[in-house]
Amino acid sequence: MKKIEFHQNYQEKFEYHGNTAIERIRKCGRIVIAREWLLFNSVEEATEYFNSSCGV
């Protein structure tokens, strides 16, 4: 699953593939500014965070 947040100077894309990690990618245009992994203790925690806090 993917969700995108648009900000004035960049966009953040969150990718979740059903495990205990969510990848967050921050881009300015086509250039990747930052990439990080958000790690959780369980699939349930990751799913809850992705559904409630990621994207618009």
Side-chain angles (χ1 to χ4, degrees):
M1 293 184 283
K2 296 178 185 178
K3 291 187 178 180
I4 298 175
E5 289 181 0
F6 293 96
H7 302 275
Q8 185 174 354
N9 297 320
Y10 62 91
Q11 72 178 21
E12 285 189 324
K13 181 169 73 170
F14 297 88
E15 294 187 11
Y16 178 60
H17 302 287
N19 53 19
T20 59
I22 297 172
E23 183 178 17
R24 183 173 75 180
I25 303 166
R26 184 174 287 176
K27 295 175 80 176
C28 182
R30 302 182 98 187
I31 299 170
V32 175
I33 302 170
R35 180 183 309 254
E36 80 177 301
W37 290 91
L38 308 174
L39 303 175
F40 300 88
N41 293 324
S42 69
V43 173
E44 291 79 16
E45 285 181 28
T47 303
E48 182 179 336
Y49 181 82
F50 184 78
N51 289 329
S52 65
S53 300
C54 296
V56 178

